[in-house]
Amino acid sequence: MSRKTLTTLASGHLSPHPNARFQPAEPTAIAATGLWILMGVIGALFFLFTVAYAIRQGLSDWQPLQEPWQLLISTTLLVLSCVSLHFAARKARLLPSLVACRRELFLTLGFTLGFITAQLWAWLALVEINQGLLANPANSFFYLLTGLHAIHVIGGLIALGLVIYQVWQGRRDHLHIWLQLCARYWHFLLFIWLFLLGLLRLT
């Protein structure tokens, strides 16, 4: 084996071209792969809870819960946050500057915080009519599923805040790609929420 071949293999690049060099993956590509894996794990988690919900629903002590009307408000706010983040990513693609998409990002922040507030409002409304966590198994699943989803929304909000802060500090490039990744996660959470809402409404 020639010296050039050994040098190429030692560099981690398996191309037979003698002048080839190892090219590390772009941070955005790594983040995109990590996001797909994260969404797969979250999807599997909610799927398992859905199976547990279906099994538990078949027992005799299950009493269906009347979902509070505040969920309609929270759903609307989550849809609006997805739309505003989508437009923020589009604006950043045309003009890669935080200033260009500042309004859309503020709207996303406001709508997302509104979603979390509306979820808490729904919880308080149930508690006021004595439909707390331990009232019956259906209640426990309602608080568990909505709370778990809200935690993932908060996690997305923290990730979005970190991206914006690092771009603002000049530590990251390709603003529109990072915002596209955040928007993809927001759309995924909206899909999960609509699924959960349908599950709670129809059972």
Side-chain angles (χ1 to χ4, degrees), residues 57-79:
Q57 185 188 10
L59 300 182
S60 58
D61 59 344
W62 184 275
Q63 298 177 9
L65 174 68
Q66 184 67 38
E67 289 77 25
W69 60 268
Q70 288 86 350
L71 295 187
L72 294 176
I73 296 177
S74 63
T75 303
T76 303
L77 291 171
L78 188 59
V79 171

Side-chain angles (χ1 to χ4, degrees), residues 9 63 73 86 115 117 127 132 142 198:
L9 291 176
Q63 298 177 9
I73 296 177
H86 172 75
F115 168 79
T117 304
V127 171
F142 175 84

Side-chain angles (χ1 to χ4, degrees), residues 116 144-158 185 189:
I116 296 170
L144 172 65
L145 294 175
T146 55
L148 194 60
H149 181 270
I151 289 174
H152 287 93
V153 172
I154 294 172
L157 204 56
I158 293 173
Y185 183 68
L189 289 180

Side-chain angles (χ1 to χ4, degrees), residues 101 113 117:
C101 55
L113 291 177
T117 304

